[in-house]
Amino acid sequence: MTQDLPFVYLRAIEPEDLDDLYGIENDASLWNVSVTSVPYSRYMLYEYIANSKNDIYSDRQVRMMIENECGCVVGIVDIINFDPKHMRAEVGIVIKNNYRNKGYAKSTLSRVKEYSLNVLHLHQLYAYVDVENKQSLRLFEKCSFVASNRLKDWLFDGKTYHDALIMQFFL
């Protein structure tokens, strides 16, 4: 990790993270970049935390909290849609508003790439990014992801369809 990037630590979700998870999952401004379109109750999220095995082979996903050097939760990262046959998974990152534009997403992607290669032994990571989301596109490009395909009308924000790019990184 380069010196200009902040330190991040990725860890399993704990019951104490319920408020952070609740805030992120119920932030309607993020729904147009995810598959979420309804709010989650605290009970549903508590059940998710309690019942998740945090095993990518049984859950087909791993969700981790992102902490900074002070131990503050700065966001969440998902490694989802794990395909054990082809050894690939989709990655998604949400950084809390007050920590954005400080390098945390780039540091997180670096850690996720290390984890995906050295622990999960994945062949590739990918992300679907709205072509109009220039900030996310720049992030993935800076982290050596390459746009491989454009998907027409792939994302719907409730009013308009948007094209998406598949951003891929080969480990």
PDB file of all heavy atoms in Angstrom, residues 51-79:
ATOM      1  N   ASN A  51     -27.180 -15.052  11.323  1.00  0.00           N
ATOM      2  CA  ASN A  51     -27.247 -16.301  10.564  1.00  0.00           C
ATOM      3  C   ASN A  51     -26.181 -16.449   9.481  1.00  0.00           C
ATOM      4  O   ASN A  51     -26.044 -17.525   8.903  1.00  0.00           O
ATOM      5  CB  ASN A  51     -28.636 -16.455   9.936  1.00  0.00           C
ATOM      6  CG  ASN A  51     -29.693 -16.634  11.001  1.00  0.00           C
ATOM      7  OD1 ASN A  51     -29.498 -17.359  11.964  1.00  0.00           O
ATOM      8  ND2 ASN A  51     -30.808 -15.943  10.835  1.00  0.00           N
ATOM      9  N   SER A  52     -25.456 -15.405   9.199  1.00  0.00           N
ATOM     10  CA  SER A  52     -24.408 -15.486   8.181  1.00  0.00           C
ATOM     11  C   SER A  52     -23.261 -16.339   8.711  1.00  0.00           C
ATOM     12  O   SER A  52     -22.775 -16.147   9.821  1.00  0.00           O
ATOM     13  CB  SER A  52     -23.894 -14.089   7.833  1.00  0.00           C
ATOM     14  OG  SER A  52     -22.796 -14.187   6.961  1.00  0.00           O
ATOM     15  N   LYS A  53     -22.852 -17.289   7.922  1.00  0.00           N
ATOM     16  CA  LYS A  53     -21.727 -18.142   8.300  1.00  0.00           C
ATOM     17  C   LYS A  53     -20.398 -17.459   7.992  1.00  0.00           C
ATOM     18  O   LYS A  53     -19.357 -17.888   8.430  1.00  0.00           O
ATOM     19  CB  LYS A  53     -21.822 -19.473   7.566  1.00  0.00           C
ATOM     20  CG  LYS A  53     -23.026 -20.296   7.973  1.00  0.00           C
ATOM     21  CD  LYS A  53     -23.140 -21.535   7.098  1.00  0.00           C
ATOM     22  CE  LYS A  53     -24.379 -22.322   7.380  1.00  0.00           C
ATOM     23  NZ  LYS A  53     -25.622 -21.645   7.140  1.00  0.00           N
ATOM     24  N   ASN A  54     -20.465 -16.401   7.197  1.00  0.00           N
ATOM     25  CA  ASN A  54     -19.277 -15.686   6.738  1.00  0.00           C
ATOM     26  C   ASN A  54     -18.308 -16.638   6.037  1.00  0.00           C
ATOM     27  O   ASN A  54     -17.104 -16.537   6.162  1.00  0.00           O
ATOM     28  CB  ASN A  54     -18.595 -14.926   7.881  1.00  0.00           C
ATOM     29  CG  ASN A  54     -18.048 -13.601   7.423  1.00  0.00           C
ATOM     30  OD1 ASN A  54     -18.570 -13.000   6.495  1.00  0.00           O
ATOM     31  ND2 ASN A  54     -16.993 -13.130   8.056  1.00  0.00           N
ATOM     32  N   ASP A  55     -18.894 -17.577   5.318  1.00  0.00           N
ATOM     33  CA  ASP A  55     -18.143 -18.556   4.533  1.00  0.00           C
ATOM     34  C   ASP A  55     -18.584 -18.397   3.086  1.00  0.00           C
ATOM     35  O   ASP A  55     -19.748 -18.634   2.752  1.00  0.00           O
ATOM     36  CB  ASP A  55     -18.448 -19.966   5.034  1.00  0.00           C
ATOM     37  CG  ASP A  55     -17.827 -21.056   4.176  1.00  0.00           C
ATOM     38  OD1 ASP A  55     -17.000 -20.752   3.288  1.00  0.00           O
ATOM     39  OD2 ASP A  55     -18.188 -22.229   4.386  1.00  0.00           O
ATOM     40  N   ILE A  56     -17.674 -17.978   2.241  1.00  0.00           N
ATOM     41  CA  ILE A  56     -18.021 -17.679   0.853  1.00  0.00           C
ATOM     42  C   ILE A  56     -18.583 -18.892   0.125  1.00  0.00           C
ATOM     43  O   ILE A  56     -19.391 -18.761  -0.779  1.00  0.00           O
ATOM     44  CB  ILE A  56     -16.828 -17.054   0.098  1.00  0.00           C
ATOM     45  CG1 ILE A  56     -17.317 -16.343  -1.168  1.00  0.00           C
ATOM     46  CG2 ILE A  56     -15.744 -18.089  -0.175  1.00  0.00           C
ATOM     47  CD1 ILE A  56     -16.344 -15.374  -1.769  1.00  0.00           C
ATOM     48  N   TYR A  57     -18.195 -20.097   0.537  1.00  0.00           N
ATOM     49  CA  TYR A  57     -18.688 -21.300  -0.136  1.00  0.00           C
ATOM     50  C   TYR A  57     -20.127 -21.623   0.247  1.00  0.00           C
ATOM     51  O   TYR A  57     -20.885 -22.119  -0.585  1.00  0.00           O
ATOM     52  CB  TYR A  57     -17.769 -22.499   0.133  1.00  0.00           C
ATOM     53  CG  TYR A  57     -16.508 -22.415  -0.684  1.00  0.00           C
ATOM     54  CD1 TYR A  57     -15.367 -21.815  -0.178  1.00  0.00           C
ATOM     55  CD2 TYR A  57     -16.476 -22.893  -1.989  1.00  0.00           C
ATOM     56  CE1 TYR A  57     -14.218 -21.707  -0.936  1.00  0.00           C
ATOM     57  CE2 TYR A  57     -15.328 -22.786  -2.763  1.00  0.00           C
ATOM     58  CZ  TYR A  57     -14.207 -22.191  -2.234  1.00  0.00           C
ATOM     59  OH  TYR A  57     -13.080 -22.089  -2.993  1.00  0.00           O
ATOM     60  N   SER A  58     -20.534 -21.338   1.472  1.00  0.00           N
ATOM     61  CA  SER A  58     -21.927 -21.613   1.841  1.00  0.00           C
ATOM     62  C   SER A  58     -22.835 -20.412   1.597  1.00  0.00           C
ATOM     63  O   SER A  58     -23.973 -20.577   1.174  1.00  0.00           O
ATOM     64  CB  SER A  58     -22.030 -22.074   3.296  1.00  0.00           C
ATOM     65  OG  SER A  58     -21.558 -21.076   4.160  1.00  0.00           O
ATOM     66  N   ASP A  59     -22.352 -19.210   1.840  1.00  0.00           N
ATOM     67  CA  ASP A  59     -23.172 -18.009   1.671  1.00  0.00           C
ATOM     68  C   ASP A  59     -23.103 -17.437   0.256  1.00  0.00           C
ATOM     69  O   ASP A  59     -23.937 -16.618  -0.112  1.00  0.00           O
ATOM     70  CB  ASP A  59     -22.729 -16.908   2.649  1.00  0.00           C
ATOM     71  CG  ASP A  59     -22.936 -17.269   4.099  1.00  0.00           C
ATOM     72  OD1 ASP A  59     -23.780 -18.136   4.394  1.00  0.00           O
ATOM     73  OD2 ASP A  59     -22.243 -16.670   4.949  1.00  0.00           O
ATOM     74  N   ARG A  60     -22.085 -17.814  -0.516  1.00  0.00           N
ATOM     75  CA  ARG A  60     -21.811 -17.277  -1.856  1.00  0.00           C
ATOM     76  C   ARG A  60     -21.490 -15.786  -1.814  1.00  0.00           C
ATOM     77  O   ARG A  60     -21.534 -15.087  -2.816  1.00  0.00           O
ATOM     78  CB  ARG A  60     -22.954 -17.532  -2.840  1.00  0.00           C
ATOM     79  CG  ARG A  60     -23.202 -18.981  -3.148  1.00  0.00           C
ATOM     80  CD  ARG A  60     -22.019 -19.546  -3.937  1.00  0.00           C
ATOM     81  NE  ARG A  60     -22.311 -20.842  -4.510  1.00  0.00           N
ATOM     82  CZ  ARG A  60     -21.746 -21.977  -4.102  1.00  0.00           C
ATOM     83  NH1 ARG A  60     -20.885 -21.971  -3.117  1.00  0.00           N
ATOM     84  NH2 ARG A  60     -22.048 -23.110  -4.677  1.00  0.00           N
ATOM     85  N   GLN A  61     -21.158 -15.314  -0.614  1.00  0.00           N
ATOM     86  CA  GLN A  61     -20.772 -13.917  -0.443  1.00  0.00           C
ATOM     87  C   GLN A  61     -20.018 -13.749   0.868  1.00  0.00           C
ATOM     88  O   GLN A  61     -20.123 -14.588   1.763  1.00  0.00           O
ATOM     89  CB  GLN A  61     -21.989 -12.999  -0.442  1.00  0.00           C
ATOM     90  CG  GLN A  61     -22.882 -13.159   0.773  1.00  0.00           C
ATOM     91  CD  GLN A  61     -24.030 -12.159   0.774  1.00  0.00           C
ATOM     92  OE1 GLN A  61     -24.167 -11.355  -0.123  1.00  0.00           O
ATOM     93  NE2 GLN A  61     -24.852 -12.204   1.798  1.00  0.00           N
ATOM     94  N   VAL A  62     -19.274 -12.657   0.940  1.00  0.00           N
ATOM     95  CA  VAL A  62     -18.622 -12.243   2.176  1.00  0.00           C
ATOM     96  C   VAL A  62     -18.828 -10.739   2.282  1.00  0.00           C
ATOM     97  O   VAL A  62     -18.546  -9.999   1.341  1.00  0.00           O
ATOM     98  CB  VAL A  62     -17.107 -12.554   2.169  1.00  0.00           C
ATOM     99  CG1 VAL A  62     -16.435 -11.967   3.398  1.00  0.00           C
ATOM    100  CG2 VAL A  62     -16.856 -14.042   2.090  1.00  0.00           C
ATOM    101  N   ARG A  63     -19.351 -10.313   3.413  1.00  0.00           N
ATOM    102  CA  ARG A  63     -19.511  -8.881   3.676  1.00  0.00           C
ATOM    103  C   ARG A  63     -18.587  -8.528   4.815  1.00  0.00           C
ATOM    104  O   ARG A  63     -18.557  -9.217   5.830  1.00  0.00           O
ATOM    105  CB  ARG A  63     -20.957  -8.562   4.062  1.00  0.00           C
ATOM    106  CG  ARG A  63     -21.939  -9.002   2.985  1.00  0.00           C
ATOM    107  CD  ARG A  63     -23.312  -8.504   3.257  1.00  0.00           C
ATOM    108  NE  ARG A  63     -23.364  -7.152   2.706  1.00  0.00           N
ATOM    109  CZ  ARG A  63     -24.334  -6.293   2.953  1.00  0.00           C
ATOM    110  NH1 ARG A  63     -25.316  -6.617   3.757  1.00  0.00           N
ATOM    111  NH2 ARG A  63     -24.324  -5.104   2.402  1.00  0.00           N
ATOM    112  N   MET A  64     -17.837  -7.446   4.641  1.00  0.00           N
ATOM    113  CA  MET A  64     -16.892  -7.039   5.669  1.00  0.00           C
ATOM    114  C   MET A  64     -17.020  -5.547   5.955  1.00  0.00           C
ATOM    115  O   MET A  64     -17.283  -4.754   5.055  1.00  0.00           O
ATOM    116  CB  MET A  64     -15.466  -7.364   5.220  1.00  0.00           C
ATOM    117  CG  MET A  64     -15.194  -8.852   5.094  1.00  0.00           C
ATOM    118  SD  MET A  64     -13.539  -9.237   4.503  1.00  0.00           S
ATOM    119  CE  MET A  64     -13.753  -8.967   2.741  1.00  0.00           C
ATOM    120  N   MET A  65     -16.809  -5.216   7.202  1.00  0.00           N
ATOM    121  CA  MET A  65     -16.781  -3.826   7.608  1.00  0.00           C
ATOM    122  C   MET A  65     -15.384  -3.285   7.307  1.00  0.00           C
ATOM    123  O   MET A  65     -14.390  -4.002   7.433  1.00  0.00           O
ATOM    124  CB  MET A  65     -17.084  -3.683   9.102  1.00  0.00           C
ATOM    125  CG  MET A  65     -18.438  -4.267   9.513  1.00  0.00           C
ATOM    126  SD  MET A  65     -19.853  -3.664   8.570  1.00  0.00           S
ATOM    127  CE  MET A  65     -20.020  -2.014   9.227  1.00  0.00           C
ATOM    128  N   ILE A  66     -15.333  -2.026   6.926  1.00  0.00           N
ATOM    129  CA  ILE A  66     -14.067  -1.352   6.652  1.00  0.00           C
ATOM    130  C   ILE A  66     -13.798  -0.408   7.825  1.00  0.00           C
ATOM    131  O   ILE A  66     -14.616   0.466   8.116  1.00  0.00           O
ATOM    132  CB  ILE A  66     -14.142  -0.530   5.349  1.00  0.00           C
ATOM    133  CG1 ILE A  66     -14.628  -1.389   4.180  1.00  0.00           C
ATOM    134  CG2 ILE A  66     -12.794   0.124   5.054  1.00  0.00           C
ATOM    135  CD1 ILE A  66     -15.087  -0.578   2.974  1.00  0.00           C
ATOM    136  N   GLU A  67     -12.671  -0.614   8.483  1.00  0.00           N
ATOM    137  CA  GLU A  67     -12.277   0.256   9.592  1.00  0.00           C
ATOM    138  C   GLU A  67     -11.031   1.035   9.215  1.00  0.00           C
ATOM    139  O   GLU A  67     -10.180   0.537   8.474  1.00  0.00           O
ATOM    140  CB  GLU A  67     -11.963  -0.557  10.853  1.00  0.00           C
ATOM    141  CG  GLU A  67     -13.168  -1.108  11.548  1.00  0.00           C
ATOM    142  CD  GLU A  67     -12.813  -1.773  12.875  1.00  0.00           C
ATOM    143  OE1 GLU A  67     -11.607  -1.952  13.183  1.00  0.00           O
ATOM    144  OE2 GLU A  67     -13.748  -2.127  13.601  1.00  0.00           O
ATOM    145  N   ASN A  68     -10.908   2.241   9.756  1.00  0.00           N
ATOM    146  CA  ASN A  68      -9.693   3.024   9.551  1.00  0.00           C
ATOM    147  C   ASN A  68      -8.697   2.736  10.671  1.00  0.00           C
ATOM    148  O   ASN A  68      -8.936   1.870  11.523  1.00  0.00           O
ATOM    149  CB  ASN A  68     -10.011   4.514   9.412  1.00  0.00           C
ATOM    150  CG  ASN A  68     -10.555   5.128  10.688  1.00  0.00           C
ATOM    151  OD1 ASN A  68     -10.553   4.528  11.767  1.00  0.00           O
ATOM    152  ND2 ASN A  68     -11.040   6.359  10.579  1.00  0.00           N
ATOM    153  N   GLU A  69      -7.597   3.471  10.674  1.00  0.00           N
ATOM    154  CA  GLU A  69      -6.534   3.244  11.654  1.00  0.00           C
ATOM    155  C   GLU A  69      -6.971   3.499  13.085  1.00  0.00           C
ATOM    156  O   GLU A  69      -6.367   2.992  14.024  1.00  0.00           O
ATOM    157  CB  GLU A  69      -5.304   4.099  11.304  1.00  0.00           C
ATOM    158  CG  GLU A  69      -5.532   5.597  11.338  1.00  0.00           C
ATOM    159  CD  GLU A  69      -6.247   6.164  10.105  1.00  0.00           C
ATOM    160  OE1 GLU A  69      -6.434   5.455   9.105  1.00  0.00           O
ATOM    161  OE2 GLU A  69      -6.634   7.341  10.156  1.00  0.00           O
ATOM    162  N   CYS A  70      -8.043   4.239  13.273  1.00  0.00           N
ATOM    163  CA  CYS A  70      -8.557   4.530  14.616  1.00  0.00           C
ATOM    164  C   CYS A  70      -9.624   3.529  15.054  1.00  0.00           C
ATOM    165  O   CYS A  70     -10.166   3.637  16.155  1.00  0.00           O
ATOM    166  CB  CYS A  70      -9.147   5.938  14.657  1.00  0.00           C
ATOM    167  SG  CYS A  70      -7.950   7.226  14.284  1.00  0.00           S
ATOM    168  N   GLY A  71      -9.964   2.599  14.196  1.00  0.00           N
ATOM    169  CA  GLY A  71     -10.987   1.615  14.532  1.00  0.00           C
ATOM    170  C   GLY A  71     -12.400   2.090  14.244  1.00  0.00           C
ATOM    171  O   GLY A  71     -13.365   1.439  14.644  1.00  0.00           O
ATOM    172  N   CYS A  72     -12.534   3.217  13.540  1.00  0.00           N
ATOM    173  CA  CYS A  72     -13.856   3.721  13.169  1.00  0.00           C
ATOM    174  C   CYS A  72     -14.313   3.030  11.887  1.00  0.00           C
ATOM    175  O   CYS A  72     -13.531   2.855  10.951  1.00  0.00           O
ATOM    176  CB  CYS A  72     -13.811   5.223  12.923  1.00  0.00           C
ATOM    177  SG  CYS A  72     -13.399   6.172  14.390  1.00  0.00           S
ATOM    178  N   VAL A  73     -15.586   2.667  11.846  1.00  0.00           N
ATOM    179  CA  VAL A  73     -16.149   2.067  10.636  1.00  0.00           C
ATOM    180  C   VAL A  73     -16.311   3.162   9.596  1.00  0.00           C
ATOM    181  O   VAL A  73     -16.994   4.162   9.827  1.00  0.00           O
ATOM    182  CB  VAL A  73     -17.500   1.382  10.927  1.00  0.00           C
ATOM    183  CG1 VAL A  73     -18.168   0.941   9.644  1.00  0.00           C
ATOM    184  CG2 VAL A  73     -17.298   0.187  11.855  1.00  0.00           C
ATOM    185  N   VAL A  74     -15.650   2.973   8.439  1.00  0.00           N
ATOM    186  CA  VAL A  74     -15.729   3.963   7.370  1.00  0.00           C
ATOM    187  C   VAL A  74     -16.595   3.476   6.210  1.00  0.00           C
ATOM    188  O   VAL A  74     -16.935   4.248   5.321  1.00  0.00           O
ATOM    189  CB  VAL A  74     -14.336   4.383   6.851  1.00  0.00           C
ATOM    190  CG1 VAL A  74     -13.516   4.997   7.978  1.00  0.00           C
ATOM    191  CG2 VAL A  74     -13.595   3.224   6.218  1.00  0.00           C
ATOM    192  N   GLY A  75     -16.957   2.193   6.222  1.00  0.00           N
ATOM    193  CA  GLY A  75     -17.791   1.674   5.146  1.00  0.00           C
ATOM    194  C   GLY A  75     -17.944   0.173   5.226  1.00  0.00           C
ATOM    195  O   GLY A  75     -17.635  -0.454   6.249  1.00  0.00           O
ATOM    196  N   ILE A  76     -18.416  -0.374   4.129  1.00  0.00           N
ATOM    197  CA  ILE A  76     -18.646  -1.812   4.021  1.00  0.00           C
ATOM    198  C   ILE A  76     -18.237  -2.256   2.619  1.00  0.00           C
ATOM    199  O   ILE A  76     -18.392  -1.506   1.656  1.00  0.00           O
ATOM    200  CB  ILE A  76     -20.122  -2.162   4.320  1.00  0.00           C
ATOM    201  CG1 ILE A  76     -20.325  -3.656   4.431  1.00  0.00           C
ATOM    202  CG2 ILE A  76     -21.059  -1.545   3.304  1.00  0.00           C
ATOM    203  CD1 ILE A  76     -21.679  -4.046   5.027  1.00  0.00           C
ATOM    204  N   VAL A  77     -17.717  -3.466   2.519  1.00  0.00           N
ATOM    205  CA  VAL A  77     -17.358  -4.031   1.221  1.00  0.00           C
ATOM    206  C   VAL A  77     -18.016  -5.397   1.098  1.00  0.00           C
ATOM    207  O   VAL A  77     -18.071  -6.156   2.062  1.00  0.00           O
ATOM    208  CB  VAL A  77     -15.822  -4.108   1.020  1.00  0.00           C
ATOM    209  CG1 VAL A  77     -15.159  -5.010   2.043  1.00  0.00           C
ATOM    210  CG2 VAL A  77     -15.484  -4.542  -0.391  1.00  0.00           C
ATOM    211  N   ASP A  78     -18.552  -5.648  -0.074  1.00  0.00           N
ATOM    212  CA  ASP A  78     -19.194  -6.922  -0.367  1.00  0.00           C
ATOM    213  C   ASP A  78     -18.429  -7.641  -1.457  1.00  0.00           C
ATOM    214  O   ASP A  78     -18.061  -7.036  -2.469  1.00  0.00           O
ATOM    215  CB  ASP A  78     -20.625  -6.714  -0.880  1.00  0.00           C
ATOM    216  CG  ASP A  78     -21.555  -6.118   0.145  1.00  0.00           C
ATOM    217  OD1 ASP A  78     -21.374  -6.403   1.341  1.00  0.00           O
ATOM    218  OD2 ASP A  78     -22.467  -5.375  -0.245  1.00  0.00           O
ATOM    219  N   ILE A  79     -18.192  -8.915  -1.246  1.00  0.00           N
ATOM    220  CA  ILE A  79     -17.721  -9.805  -2.299  1.00  0.00           C
ATOM    221  C   ILE A  79     -18.883 -10.771  -2.486  1.00  0.00           C
ATOM    222  O   ILE A  79     -19.152 -11.604  -1.621  1.00  0.00           O
ATOM    223  CB  ILE A  79     -16.421 -10.535  -1.907  1.00  0.00           C
ATOM    224  CG1 ILE A  79     -15.323  -9.524  -1.600  1.00  0.00           C
ATOM    225  CG2 ILE A  79     -15.993 -11.498  -3.011  1.00  0.00           C
ATOM    226  CD1 ILE A  79     -14.063 -10.138  -1.022  1.00  0.00           C
TER     227      ILE A  79
END
